[in-house]
Amino acid sequence: MERLDPTLALASGPSKSTSRSAQVMAGLALLLGVVYLFGLHPFNQPPVLVAAVGLLLSAAVIADRPSGDPLSGSRLGKSLIFGGLAFGVLALAGLWRVIPDWILLTVSTGAVCAGTVVLARARYGHGSGGIRNHGVFTTPMLSRGGVAWIAAIVLTGFYVLLYWFPQSLEGIIRTIDPISYTLRGVPSDQWFMYGTFYSLAVLVMGVRALYRYRHDRYQRWRTVSVILAQGFLAYLLPHILAAFNEPEFYFSYFWPLKPEYLWPGDFGSGWIWNHPGRLGRFMVIWGAVISFVGVPVLTYYFGKRWYCSWVCGCGCLAETAGDPYRHLADSSVRSWQIERWMIHGVLVLVTFGTAILWINSAMEGGLLGSFSGGFARVYGFVFGSVFAGVIGVGFYPLMGARVWCRFGCPQAAILGLIQRFYSRFRITTNGGQCISCGNCTTYCEMGIDVRWYAQRGQNIVRASCVGCGMCASVCPRGVLKLENSSLEGRLNGPVLITSDEVDVLEEDWAASVSWK
C-alpha cells in the first residue's frame, strides 16, 4: 500500500515522545500566562501574549501526531504557517517599528507561504496520483464546525477592517513596503497590501492544487492559467503601468464586472480616455471590444469556463484558496431559485445604471445631477465591497467559494445566458455507467445536482456551470466529459428510462396475475 490510511495511524495513539513534546509546549504557554500576570515586557501587551500563546499551543497540537502517521511530514509546514501568523499579529502590535520591514515580510508572509507549500507536498505529493478527500466531512474546518466559524469571522473581520478601518492594519501594511517600493517606488497602502496577499494566496494555493490534481491534465492547465492571470494581468501589469505614469488598468476585468470601466465619468469619456498618449484610449476600446465582441464569441465556442475558471480574479481565488470548501455549496432547488433571481437582478441593475449614467452624461448632468456620482459609489459599496468582498470571500468556510459567482456577479450572468442558449459547450453523461455515488454533486462548487443529470443520461447545460471540470475529475467511472461540439443535440432529453416514465396498464397487470 503506497499510502497509509491516516485513520489507522491515528487509532494507534501518539508516541510517548510526541506526547511529552505536547506537554512541554503546553507548559510553556502556561508559563507565558504567569509572566503576563507579573507584567514582564513585552508579554504584558495582550496582542503579543495572544500571538505567543497561540503559536505554542499550535505547536503542541502539531507535535501530538503519531510518529507513524504519513502526514507527520506536515509538521514543518504547520509550524511555519502558525509561526508566520504569529509574527503577523506581532506586526499588528507594533513590531514593525522595531524590526526592519523586509525581515517581518520574510518571517511572516514568507513563512506562511512556504509552510503552505510544504504542507501541500506532504499531503498530496506522495504516492500515486488521485484525489484524496479523507476527513472532508469530519474535519471541523471543512464541515462548518467551530473552527470554520472562527475562520469565517476572522476573514470577514479582515475585510471589514480593510474597507472601513484600514488604519488598524498599519502594521501589516508596512510589512509589504519592500514589495511596494520595488514595483511602484512608493510605500504600500491597504489596497496594494490586499492585492499582494490576494495574488500570493492564488499562487501558493495554486501550487497546492497542482499537487492535488497532478493526475488530471485539464486541472493542471487550468490551475496554471489562474495563477498567471492573477499574477500578471491583475497584479504585476497594473502596477507596472502605474510606475510608467500610465492609468492603472486591469485587463482581466471589464464591464459589467468592472462597470466603471465604461462609465462616462471615470473611464468611458473621462480621465483615462483623455490621458496623454494612446494607451488610455486603447484601454477603453479594449474593455468595450471584450465586453461586446469577445464575450459572446468566446462563450459560444468554450462556454463561460474560458473566463470564470481560467481568467477571472474572483474565480482564481475560488479555484485555489477556495478549493477546500467547494463541497459546501448548497445544491437544493430552493438555492437554485434564489440564485437565478439574485444574479439576474444584479445584471439588470448594473445595465440600467450604466445606461442612465451615459444619458446623464449626454445631457451634461441634466438627468441625474449630482446623483450620478452617488449611484456609482453606492453600487461599488454594496456589490464591490460588501457582496464580492466581505460575504464572497469571508463566507468561504461556511457557504463555499462561489457565493459571489453564484448569486451576485453580473459578468457570470451574461456568460451564463449565452452558455445556456447559444454555446457549443456542454458536459455529456454516460448514464449507463453511473453508480449514483454522488461525488459529482458533492464537489460541484456551483451547487448543481450533477448526479440527477448523470442518472438520466442527460447533457448538463446549465447557465451557472463554470466548467471547472471537478465533477469529471472526482467521478470514479468516467461518466462525465466536458465537450465542445455542434449545437445540434445539445439540449437532449433523458436517455435512460426513469421511474416517472414507467406506467403499467391495469389490464396488463390483471392478465399477468390471472395467468399465474
Side-chain angles (χ1 to χ4, degrees):
M1 184 168 56
E2 295 182 1
R3 184 181 178 90
L4 181 65
D5 187 349
T7 57
L8 300 179
L10 288 175
S12 62
S15 64
K16 293 182 179 180
S17 59
T18 55
S19 296
R20 189 177 299 112
S21 300
Q23 293 171 3
V24 171
M25 293 294 182
L28 288 175
L30 180 61
L31 178 61
L32 284 176
V34 175
V35 170
Y36 171 72
L37 294 178
F38 285 94
L40 183 63
H41 184 79
F43 297 103
N44 58 346
Q45 302 180 26
V48 177
L49 177 69
V50 171
V53 172
L55 175 60
L56 289 174
L57 292 179
S58 300
V61 174
I62 296 168
D64 198 23
R65 291 200 66 91
S67 58
D69 187 352
L71 297 184
S72 60
S74 64
R75 293 178 189 171
L76 174 60
K78 290 183 178 180
S79 300
L80 289 171
I81 292 173
F82 286 117
L85 292 175
F87 270 99
V89 175
L90 293 175
L92 281 174
L95 196 61
W96 61 275
R97 295 186 177 91
V98 181
I99 299 179
D101 48 18
W102 65 271
I103 294 180
L104 277 180
L105 175 65
T106 302
V107 299
S108 58
T109 304
V112 172
C113 293
T116 304
V117 173
V118 171
L119 184 61
R121 185 178 185 277
R123 288 188 171 180
Y124 306 113
H126 301 287
S128 59
I131 299 177
R132 300 180 180 91
N133 294 313
H134 304 307
V136 169
F137 293 101
T138 57
T139 303
M141 184 63 173
L142 303 180
S143 57
R144 300 190 182 97
V147 180
W149 279 93
I150 294 174
I153 292 172
V154 171
L155 282 173
T156 304
F158 170 77
Y159 274 92
V160 170
L161 296 178
L162 176 71
Y163 285 117
W164 297 290
F165 306 99
Q167 66 278 1
S168 61
L169 299 175
E170 183 69 17
I172 297 295
I173 295 173
R174 296 283 66 83
T175 64
I176 309 299
D177 278 344
I179 301 178
S180 182
Y181 278 115
T182 301
L183 288 180
R184 309 187 304 167
V186 296
S188 174
D189 55 21
Q190 80 264 32
W191 301 119
F192 182 83
M193 178 269 295
Y194 174 62
T196 301
F197 285 161
Y198 195 104
S199 301
L200 285 175
V202 172
L203 172 61
V204 173
M205 294 299 287
V207 173
R208 172 191 175 275
L210 290 174
Y211 274 120
R212 189 180 188 190
Y213 306 120
R214 67 187 187 278
H215 67 290
D216 192 318
R217 183 171 176 266
Y218 181 81
Q219 299 299 338
R220 292 199 308 269
W221 279 109
R222 191 173 64 86
T223 302
V224 170
S225 176
V226 299
I227 292 175
L228 294 179
Q230 175 59 35
F232 181 71
L233 293 179
Y235 182 67
L236 290 177
L237 186 57
H239 296 311
I240 292 174
L241 290 172
F244 283 93
N245 199 28
E246 297 289 349
E248 187 178 275
F249 191 84
Y250 299 86
F251 287 90
S252 57
Y253 294 102
F254 32 84
W255 188 92
L257 189 58
K258 276 283 190 179
E260 62 269 24
Y261 279 9
L262 290 183
W263 282 348
D266 295 323
F267 285 81
S269 61
W271 65 272
I272 192 172
W273 179 265
N274 298 320
H275 191 275
R278 300 178 179 178
L279 187 56
R281 297 193 176 191
F282 169 76
M283 292 176 180
V284 176
I285 295 174
W286 165 269
V289 170
I290 290 295
S291 298
F292 303 115
V293 179
V295 164
V297 171
L298 291 172
T299 308
Y300 168 75
Y301 282 103
F302 306 108
K304 65 191 293 186
R305 59 174 171 164
W306 75 269
Y307 184 72
C308 293
S309 289
W310 288 69
V311 176
C312 174
C314 301
C316 291
L317 192 69
E319 296 298 335
T320 52
D323 178 70
Y325 308 107
R326 62 171 55 250
H327 60 284
L328 299 178
D330 188 357
S331 58
S332 65
V333 175
R334 180 61 176 169
S335 176
W336 184 24
Q337 293 172 342
I338 296 174
E339 171 189 332
R340 288 182 294 176
W341 279 102
M342 289 189 63
I343 194 171
H344 295 114
V346 174
L347 176 60
V348 170
L349 178 64
V350 69
T351 304
F352 175 77
T354 302
I356 290 296
L357 289 176
W358 273 101
I359 295 173
N360 181 70
S361 177
M363 298 177 61
E364 297 181 352
L367 180 62
L368 298 177
S370 59
F371 177 73
S372 59
F375 172 82
R377 288 190 295 270
V378 170
Y379 180 88
F381 170 79
V382 174
F383 294 100
S385 300
V386 176
F387 205 156
V390 177
I391 297 177
V393 180
F395 284 19
Y396 270 16
L398 302 178
M399 298 180 64
R402 289 282 190 173
V403 178
W404 162 249
C405 306
R406 290 185 64 186
F407 299 98
C409 178
Q411 185 70 67
I414 290 180
L415 295 170
L417 290 173
I418 299 174
Q419 175 174 275
R420 176 64 178 81
F421 297 105
Y422 197 68
S423 174
R424 293 162 57 93
F425 172 72
R426 84 289 308 270
I427 300 179
T428 58
T429 61
N430 181 5
Q433 295 293 322
C434 180
I435 59 175
S436 300
C437 66
N439 283 348
C440 51
T441 297
T442 299
Y443 291 99
C444 177
E445 60 189 351
M446 299 303 292
I448 300 174
D449 189 359
V450 181
R451 179 175 59 178
W452 185 83
Y453 291 92
Q455 289 173 332
R456 296 158 58 91
Q458 186 174 351
N459 292 344
I460 302 172
V461 183
R462 284 276 291 269
S464 56
C465 177
V466 295
C468 67
M470 199 57 61
C471 56
S473 297
V474 300
C475 179
R477 303 277 292 179
V479 172
L480 305 164
K481 184 178 180 181
L482 282 68
E483 293 186 4
N484 295 320
S485 186
S486 63
L487 296 178
E488 184 179 356
R490 179 170 173 266
L491 299 174
N492 68 325
V495 177
L496 303 180
I497 298 176
T498 65
S499 58
D500 297 333
E501 299 168 337
V502 176
D503 186 15
V504 179
L505 297 179
E506 183 177 357
E507 56 270 19
D508 293 341
W509 177 82
S512 64
V513 172
S514 61
W515 178 81
K516 291 181 180 180

